[in-house]
Structure formats: structure tokens, C-alpha cells
Amino acid sequence: MADGSISNARHEAEVAVIGAGLSGVAAVIALRRAGFGDIVVLEKSGRLGGTWRDNTYPGCGCDVPSVLYEYSFAPHSWSRGFADRSEILDYLDTTAATHGVNEAIRYDTEVLSSRWEPEAHRWNLQTTTGTYTTRAVIVATGPWHRPRHPDIPGLDTFPGTVFHSARWNHEVDLAGQRVAVVGTGASTVQFLPEIQPKAAHVAVFQSTPQWVLPKPDYPLPPGLHHFFEHHPAARRALRGLHHWTQEAIGVPLRHPHLLRPLETLARFHLRTSVRDRVLRRALTPEYRFGGRRLITSSTYYPALTRANVRLHPTRVAAVKGSDVIGADGTLTRADIIILATGYHIGDIPLAAHLHGTEGTLAQTWADNRRAYLGTSVSGYPNLFLLIGPNLLSGTTAVPTVLEAQLRYVTTALNHLRTSGAFALDVKPEAEAAHQQALHKALRNTVYNATGTSYYFGLPDINTFCWPWSTARLIKRLNSFDPDVYTWTLPLPTQAGADRDTLPTHASDRPQ
């Protein structure tokens, strides 16, 4: 509600989807195609879009090829090889409208608490617009949701303007201003070339250099989509080319002894883009390629060489008055500070308010963010996570994983519906076995090489990466196994009794 008060209204639905971003829109379409029509989407904002709605910084765009960043059932006429934020947002709007997704969305509805009711075999969701009772819940809030704000002494007393790149302040005019940028991750790589021509001076504080590959971005011919409409095999071939190129890059990430060609390419890109040896040395990583998120850009390095940009290869230690102080003792006067310090990756904001059978998800994940196939968490019946822990890699396009995961979820829900069971809950031993195999495989990949990247949602635990191929992930998600779940079934009773009011028992699988 607009004034932040809580409504007493009560609603019921078979499935509730939390979040109306890329995942939430796809979930509604997949559920309807699987025969589920009683769906509600709870979105705390006033419009759909998720991360593409929230991130409005200059230059914001996709870092995988456009033809891979679309739903397979909704091909789009992209204007560039790598789509920008506004085009992706338009695509989501159009797709949602075409498939009637908006009818299911309840905007300005923030979920305050979600609790499993074991007697009723339902989820009870308290929101700002009332109570929603549902049989199943799909959490579609995404991993890039909550910005990470660094603890910098003195930052709160800075006399100028401070904002996070994920919440860009468009009321601030950067023209002629001295700007300090904290962080050199994917966001900085995109917005620095955009703000550099406007600012009087830009100081970029880099705690860790990035491996950067050239970005083969290019405008696509306006008539290409028309051609693809008449030659769908050609579009499939183009998608296949991009997909297998991404997969080819993923092979050495899983087998680090094959990384040398990629590292050579990245070093060549740096050497040809940055002539200054001192700057080039500061931009050269000391860890293996792929140990952190892969970055592609053909404009970032040139922006760093401009006369009004200075790279400080150090973290920010403190802010004193208008001075930003580096850990190496350097002082830089600034009018504006932009925090490009990333997100709490995989940290679901609702986790502390998501109550399962034995506590909250935040408590369950206190020592490890675990989930069976990144989807089901033991102790949370009839609940599914989209793009949950350990489902992505440095090369896999999110829509590819998302669609495979939704096939898994809809198959599970159909088993629930046809079996007559009240609930399904992944067995803790199945979850544990999956986690053990996953983390054992991760040890041999480059994803675990640094131990400090955003892949590590918890100390020493990689909670982000899938250690095998995308093909293996899709195969696993396409093979729903009822035996890894415990099924809550009704006890035998007289004909005509109300099944939902009877005591229940658990079974290894539906009968």
C-alpha cells in the first residue's frame, strides 16, 4: 500500500511467485503452459523488470550475447549483439504483455513474512496488501538484488553526494565534477566510459584488477529479424554458435590447465589498449583467468587512459572531509563518490522471514547456502528457488538455466497434483549428497582459485558456481526424480471424508 500500512485482505492461490523480474515473468508463462492457472505474482515495486528495472546506471547492459538473453519461446529483434538495459526492459514488458503475465502480478506488494503451515499444508504469506495462502511458493527474487555497501570510515560525513551504482542518482549532474569511483567490477567497466567525457576528473579505486576480454558488440541489421522469421533454422544456428562459443570458454574454467589461450588473449587486449607500462602493470591480475566474474569490454581500458582519469590500484581506507584516502596513503579530492561495490550475491532478502519446518531460511543457510539442484531446500515443503545456489557459471546465460529449472519445477508440481499428495520436501540426505559432489567438483575448477570473489557467498564456500557443463545441468534438471523427495500423503479413510482435514503420513514417493 502507498502509505506502507498492512492490509487485512485475504487471498488464495495455488502458486505464489515472489518477484516479477526475468525469472518471475518466465515462471508465470511456464506454469500456465503446464496447466496451472491459479497463480499470483507478488512484486514489491510498481513495475516489473527486476535487476533491469533497478539498475539504471549509464552504459548498463547485458554481458552475454543478446540472442542468448531471451526466452526460447519469445525470440526478439535485438538492435545490437549485446543488448542494453532499456532494450531488455522493453523486451520483458512486451513478453509479459503478449503472454498476459500482468494479470497475475500484484504490484506494490511486499512480502513481509512467508510461513509453512504444516496442518493446512499451505504457505501463509503476509504482505503489505494482505495475506496470501498458497499451496506452493516460487522465489524469483534473483541473485543481483541487494547492493553491497562498504564500511568506509568517514563516508557518512562526506560533504558531497554519495550513491551506489545499482541505485544511480540521475538528479546529480556529473559535468565538471570530481568523481571518485570505488570498485572496478562489471558495473564500473560499463559506466566509466559513459561518465568519463562529462566529469572534470575521475579517480578509480581498484582493490583487485580484472581479467577483461574484448567485447564483440556490433549493431545488428534491421532486417535480420525479418530474415530469421522466414528462416528459423538460421536463427537456431546463430543461437547455437553463440551457445557453443560460451560453452567452449567454460571448458578451461573447469580445467585450468587449458587456460593459457584465454589468458594470452586477455593480456593481448590489455597490451594493445593500454600503452603505459605502469598502468598496464596495475591492471594485470595475479590470479588465474576466471577466478572472478568474467568481464568483456572494448571501451573500459581506453577510458582509463584518458587524461582526466586516474587509476588508484588500492582499496579506499577512509574518507576525510572531501578527501578519499587510499590504503596506500594517496589523497584524492572528490565532489561525488560512486560506490560500485557489487551485490550480496545469492543473499535472498526474504530469507530471514521465510519460515520452514524448523526455522527460517537465514538460519538454515547460516553455515552454507545449500539447495538440491539450486531449487529445493530440505525443510521447506512445496517451495522452489529460481537461480538458487550453485546454478550459474562464468559463461552460462541465465535464461538457459531458468527455462530448464522451470521445467523441473512444473514437473514437480504436476507430480504433486496427480499423486494426491499434500506436499513434497527434498530429503536431507539427497541434498547433502548433491552438495558434497558439487563442492568436490568445484575444488578442481578455477572458480575456487581466489577464495575471495563474489562467487563466495560465505567464507570459503562457493555458493554461486555450477562446476560442470551447461549440458549436464540441463540434463539433471530435465530428469525429475520423485525418490529424492519425501511426500506427505493422506491417511486411508472413509470415502467422502474431507481429505484436507485428516492427519497425514510421509512416504518416500507418491503412490
Short mmCIF file of all heavy atoms in Angstrom, two decimals, residues 93 150 288 445 465:
data_model
loop_
_atom_site.label_atom_id
_atom_site.label_comp_id
_atom_site.label_asym_id
_atom_site.label_seq_id
_atom_site.Cartn_x
_atom_site.Cartn_y
_atom_site.Cartn_z
N ASP A 93 8.78 -6.24 -20.86
CA ASP A 93 7.44 -5.64 -20.90
C ASP A 93 6.60 -6.25 -22.01
O ASP A 93 5.44 -6.62 -21.81
CB ASP A 93 7.54 -4.12 -21.10
CG ASP A 93 7.92 -3.39 -19.83
OD1 ASP A 93 7.64 -3.89 -18.73
OD2 ASP A 93 8.51 -2.29 -19.94
N PRO A 150 30.03 -0.73 1.26
CA PRO A 150 31.24 -0.95 2.04
C PRO A 150 31.26 -0.14 3.33
O PRO A 150 30.64 0.92 3.41
CB PRO A 150 32.35 -0.47 1.09
CG PRO A 150 31.69 0.59 0.27
CD PRO A 150 30.27 0.11 0.07
N ARG A 288 44.41 -16.52 -11.65
CA ARG A 288 44.13 -17.14 -12.93
C ARG A 288 42.84 -16.57 -13.54
O ARG A 288 41.91 -16.18 -12.85
CB ARG A 288 43.95 -18.66 -12.78
CG ARG A 288 45.15 -19.43 -12.30
CD ARG A 288 46.38 -19.25 -13.18
NE ARG A 288 46.20 -19.58 -14.57
CZ ARG A 288 46.37 -20.80 -15.10
NH1 ARG A 288 46.68 -21.82 -14.31
NH2 ARG A 288 46.24 -21.00 -16.40
N THR A 445 38.22 -26.59 -10.19
CA THR A 445 37.92 -25.54 -11.16
C THR A 445 38.62 -24.24 -10.79
O THR A 445 39.06 -24.05 -9.65
CB THR A 445 36.40 -25.27 -11.23
OG1 THR A 445 35.98 -24.64 -10.01
CG2 THR A 445 35.62 -26.56 -11.44
N CYS A 465 28.69 -21.01 -8.17
CA CYS A 465 29.04 -21.69 -9.43
C CYS A 465 28.59 -23.14 -9.53
O CYS A 465 28.64 -23.90 -8.55
CB CYS A 465 30.56 -21.64 -9.63
SG CYS A 465 31.20 -19.97 -9.86
#
